[in-house]
Amino acid sequence: MEKIICCLLLCAVLLVNNLVESRRVSSSRRVSSRYGDASLATCSSDEECIIHNECDEVNQMTKKGRFTYEEEAYLRTKLCKFYRRVHHFCCKKQKVSIRLPQAPDCGLYFSDRIYSTSEDTYIDQYPWTAMIMYSKPGNRIESHCGGSLITERHVLTAAHCYSKVPKNWKLLHVRLGEWDRRSNPDCMEFINEVVCNDPYVDVPVKKVIEHPNYKKYSLNQHNDIALLELEYNVKFTTYVRPICLPIDPRIGQMNFTSHSVEVSGFQLNEKYANSSLTKKVYYLNVVDHDRCRQDIYTGSKAMVSNSQICAGIEEEKEFCNPDSGGSLMKEGIYPTSKFPHYQLIGIQSYGPERCATQYNPGVYTLVSQYMDWIVENIN
Ligand SMILES: *[C@@H]1O[C@H](CO)[C@@H](O)[C@H](O)[C@H]1NC(C)=O
Ligand SMILES: *[C@@H]1O[C@H](CO)[C@@H](O)[C@H](O)[C@H]1NC(C)=O
């Protein structure tokens, strides 16, 4: 008896459902198009109603020239708008693919000023410098690492800036467009003129993608690289612009030994909150790889790999604390563009506690070795 009641109830439910269903169909707008008579579909939440030639799925079908009967029937169920003879279909939401910018859309700053030799950067220099901000106990928000803006949505940094910081710190946002930490916006006097930047922007970090082969407890710190995906696209301005990445293998094969390279930032690191008040730049030389591996770092038992590059300042000068995770870069004319621009060569990974010299250089993650991983993960 119970079974029968149950069944009757179920039947009633199904019947009502069917009625609702047919009412919905009949009340929706019907159109006549080349797909025959069809009622306009309501797209599901993972779909959007877009013009036919912007839908990958439809493009796949039309590429062959002629639809099969099944394809046509399928498209009829996906037709969501027919307006001025243009078909729109419910189409799986497509990721807006983000591409790495190519020179001259990256690696440039527009200043025409002649730069001094001091350690202070100009207000618009290295506009890809990112400060990584952490929330810390006691409601403090402080920056302990640097990074490089590489797309409107991504900052590249060291993996240790994410996984080796104290457990009670939280990586919150990146600060872009900063030059002087004491003011906002900042102004600099240049001969007889005063130049001011825009206020800095703090962009929340949506996702941290750490290299899967990074081992935080390893002495070697191989694969010390991470991508920060931002919550939204940043607007490129004079003070917020990306650096170029060595996506062309010819740049990856270049031998930078003895070349002069630059590091810039606020001397941020995970250990000390003693960072510089203004953005600084230092000029380093790339140290021969074998020398770095065999003569210098064997003593510390760290194994310097081919995916790392060493750099230090000339003898006698001292270079103290570049930004952890910050950019090691080189300006030049590369095979990819006839205009001089900056390429990101390395990411600061580890080094001597205080000052990196030619004889005691810092170790950087060699970015060209990670291009496949970067391209794969920015989308
Ligand atoms: C790079 O150039 C230096 C000399 O500038 C040379 O000693 C070294 O062997 C070169 N390395 C490679 C991998 O070609
Ligand atoms: C941090 O700054 C203080 C004073 O400003 C100084 O005494 C200390 O040596 C600095 N620490 C480092 C690691 O630079």
Side-chain angles (χ1 to χ4, degrees), residues 46-272:
D46 61 340
E47 291 173 331
E48 53 195 339
C49 188
I50 58 174
I51 186 165
H52 62 95
N53 57 7
E54 281 175 11
C55 179
D56 282 349
E57 200 179 7
V58 177
N59 284 338
Q60 283 302 316
M61 293 178 192
T62 51
K63 219 161 51 185
K64 302 180 309 235
R66 205 159 175 210
F67 297 145
T68 62
Y69 175 77
E70 287 80 15
E71 283 171 344
E72 208 164 309
Y74 172 77
L75 286 177
R76 205 173 301 134
T77 68
K78 292 289 176 187
L79 186 66
C80 52
K81 185 172 162 191
F82 183 62
Y83 181 66
R84 298 195 172 187
R85 313 203 134 265
V86 182
H87 295 91
H88 292 64
F89 292 100
C90 288
C91 190
K92 281 262 175 298
K93 277 185 186 153
Q94 293 160 27
K95 274 203 240 159
V96 190
S97 71
I98 290 189
R99 277 168 222 275
L100 289 174
Q102 301 281 313
D105 296 332
C106 52
L108 295 183
Y109 52 90
F110 300 117
S111 187
D112 54 1
R113 298 179 190 97
I114 299 155
Y115 289 175
S116 73
T117 51
S118 92
E119 292 174 349
D120 286 317
T121 63
Y122 277 80
I123 197 163
D124 57 355
Q125 213 173 351
Y126 313 116
W128 40 84
T129 304
M131 298 170 78
I132 301 176
M133 317 289 292
Y134 302 82
S135 67
K136 296 161 68 176
N139 278 331
R140 283 179 305 156
I141 294 181
E142 282 171 347
S143 181
H144 286 273
C145 263
S148 315
L149 186 67
I150 58 163
T151 77
E152 58 266 69
R153 203 55 174 257
H154 299 90
V155 165
L156 198 60
T157 186
H160 78 261
C161 287
Y162 172 62
S163 56
K164 275 181 95 169
V165 298
K167 282 256 176 334
N168 54 6
W169 295 11
K170 189 175 179 306
L171 198 162
L172 270 194
H173 54 247
V174 295
R175 179 163 295 178
L176 300 164
E178 178 61 298
W179 180 67
D180 185 333
R181 300 199 300 127
R182 293 163 296 192
S183 51
N184 185 37
D186 316 315
C187 297
M188 116 180 267
E189 228 175 287
F190 185 77
I191 309 182
N192 291 322
E193 83 184 295
V194 174
V195 187
C196 299
N197 62 8
D198 305 324
Y200 60 69
V201 285
D202 283 342
V203 191
V205 172
K206 184 176 171 193
K207 194 161 91 185
V208 181
I209 308 162
E210 187 185 275
H211 195 281
N213 298 332
Y214 174 69
K215 296 186 183 68
K216 65 173 176 173
Y217 296 116
S218 150
L219 204 57
N220 302 323
Q221 292 294 291
H222 291 166
N223 313 307
D224 191 4
I225 185 169
L227 263 172
L228 308 182
E229 186 187 320
L230 307 179
E231 197 78 58
Y232 44 81
N233 288 4
V234 297
K235 199 169 144 258
F236 293 159
T237 66
T238 307
Y239 305 99
V240 177
R241 303 192 65 75
I243 189 168
C244 300
L245 291 188
I247 189 157
D248 190 296
R250 287 172 294 180
I251 302 172
Q253 282 153 13
M254 286 168 79
N255 179 354
F256 291 109
T257 301
S258 303
H259 281 237
S260 168
V261 286
E262 293 156 56
V263 287
S264 84
F266 296 85
Q267 301 182 307
L268 306 165
N269 71 47
E270 322 84 79
K271 286 205 188 103
Y272 311 109

Side-chain angles (χ1 to χ4, degrees), residues 4 64 70 107 122 138 154 159 209 255 275 294 309 328 336 343 356:
I4 294 171
K64 302 180 309 235
E70 287 80 15
Y122 277 80
H154 299 90
I209 308 162
N255 179 354
S275 42
Q294 287 161 14
I309 185 169
L328 177 88
T336 41
Q343 288 276 344

